[in-house]
Amino acid sequence: MVRFLVVPQWQGSPAARAMLLVDGASAIAGDLPRAATTVLDVPVEAGESLGTGVRRLSSLLRTREQVAEASTADTIVIGGDCSVTVAALAALPGGTDDLAVVWFDAHGDLHTPETSSSGAFAGMALRAVLGEGEPQLVLSPGVPRDRVVTVGMRNLDDAEVEVLDDLAQLSVNDLDRIDALADAVEATGARRVWVHIDVDVLDPAELTGVSSAVPFGLSPSAVGAAVRALRDRVPLAGATIAGFAPRSPADAVDDLGALLRLVGAVA
C-alpha cells in the first residue's frame, strides 16, 4: 500500500519567501487520502548553521531524524524543499545499493557549501545524493553517478555545469519520446528507482506556484507519461514531489490539478 509522508520543510530553500513551501505541502496534503497520509510536525524555527556552510542546519538535522522514524517502504514524500529527498533516501528500506535516482528539476541542485552563494541545502540536494558536501547531510555511501538521471535541467550556475556533465541528462525535448526516461534508467542496471520531481521542472504556463520559475519546461502530461512508462519497466522504490510554493490559497487551487496529475503518476 502506498503511503504519503508530508514533510513541510522550508529551511533548505534559498527563496526569500521560503515558508510558502509549508502552505504548498499543506495544500497537497488536503487532497491526499487521510488514512494513508502522515504529516510531519517539522521545526518551525530557522535553526543554526552550527559552524558549517549550510544555513539552518540544526533544523534540517531534526527533520531528517523525523523522516527516518516515519519512513516505510512504498512511500511518496511531499515537500517542502528539494532536500527532503536526501533525508528520504538516507532512510530508504533496503538502502540504495540497487537504486537509480531520477531528478526532475529546472535547476542543478549540485552545489556544495564551498560553491553555494546562498548556503541553502536545497541547492546542494542532488550533490548530497551523490555523497558529496556537508558530511552530516550527505548520503553515505552516495548513489553512483552512473545511476543518476537528470530531467529538464535548464538553469545552472557555472559551478554546477562540470558536475552535471558526468550525469545522464534528458532535456525537455527528449521526453517527446515516451520511453526515453525508461530507457535511460534501464541502462543504469538498477533494480529499483526513486523519482524526485521539483515542480519547477514544469513550464510556468502549467503551474505558477514555484519560487524560481524557469521558462520552456515540461507539461504535467509529459512527466506523467514518462514516469508511467518507467514504472512499467523498473519498480518504483518511492518518489518525491517538492517545491510547491503558492502565493495565495486561490493560486494553490489553480495549480492543484497539475500537481495531482504528478501524484497520480508516482502513486
Side-chain angles (χ1 to χ4, degrees):
M1 175 181 172
V2 171
R3 301 283 307 176
F4 295 96
L5 181 62
V6 181
V7 189
Q9 175 183 276
W10 63 273
Q11 290 91 341
S13 171
R17 302 175 71 180
M19 290 192 73
L20 292 176
L21 292 164
V22 178
D23 298 334
S26 297
I28 298 172
D31 274 335
L32 300 177
R34 185 170 301 177
T37 301
T38 299
V39 180
L40 294 188
D41 185 18
V42 304
V44 176
E45 65 272 15
E48 303 294 334
S49 64
L50 304 179
T52 70
V54 178
R55 292 178 64 197
R56 309 168 183 148
L57 176 65
S58 60
S59 289
L60 297 172
L61 290 173
R62 285 175 57 195
T63 300
R64 186 182 179 110
E65 292 173 356
Q66 291 179 288
V67 172
E69 292 171 359
S71 290
T72 62
D74 301 316
T75 294
I76 307 300
V77 176
I78 306 295
D81 68 72
C82 282
S83 66
V84 298
T85 293
V86 187
L89 291 176
L92 182 65
T96 61
D97 287 347
D98 62 347
L99 190 77
V101 173
V102 172
W103 201 270
F104 282 91
D105 203 311
H107 304 88
D109 296 350
L110 287 166
H111 280 288
T112 65
E114 291 71 33
T115 65
S116 173
S117 60
S118 68
F121 186 50
M124 310 177 198
L126 181 52
R127 194 71 174 269
V129 169
L130 298 173
E132 301 169 9
E134 168 53 45
Q136 296 177 80
L137 293 172
V138 302
L139 291 190
S140 182
V143 176
R145 290 169 183 259
D146 61 3
R147 284 199 267 116
V148 173
V149 179
T150 70
V151 186
M153 288 187 181
R154 54 196 188 277
N155 188 348
L156 297 168
D157 294 331
D158 290 344
E160 299 177 297
V161 172
E162 185 175 349
V163 184
L164 182 62
D165 285 344
D166 292 338
L167 305 178
Q169 304 167 49
L170 295 177
S171 69
V172 169
N173 291 335
D174 286 332
L175 259 62
D176 289 344
R177 187 170 67 84
I178 195 169
D179 288 324
L181 179 59
D183 289 345
V185 173
E186 199 167 57
T188 70
R191 289 179 288 189
R192 299 184 298 157
V193 61
W194 187 282
V195 175
H196 166 98
I197 303 173
D198 182 338
V199 296
D200 69 15
V201 79
L202 299 179
D203 191 88
E206 303 280 357
L207 184 140
T208 61
V210 297
S211 299
S212 181
V214 183
F216 310 114
L218 288 160
S219 67
S221 59
V223 175
V227 170
R228 288 188 176 94
L230 170 62
R231 294 181 64 185
D232 286 341
R233 289 161 60 179
V234 182
L236 195 70
T240 309
I241 296 175
F244 183 42
R247 297 183 183 276
S248 71
D251 287 347
V253 171
D254 288 343
D255 283 338
L256 274 176
L259 290 161
L260 293 177
R261 284 196 289 275
L262 300 181
V263 172
V266 297

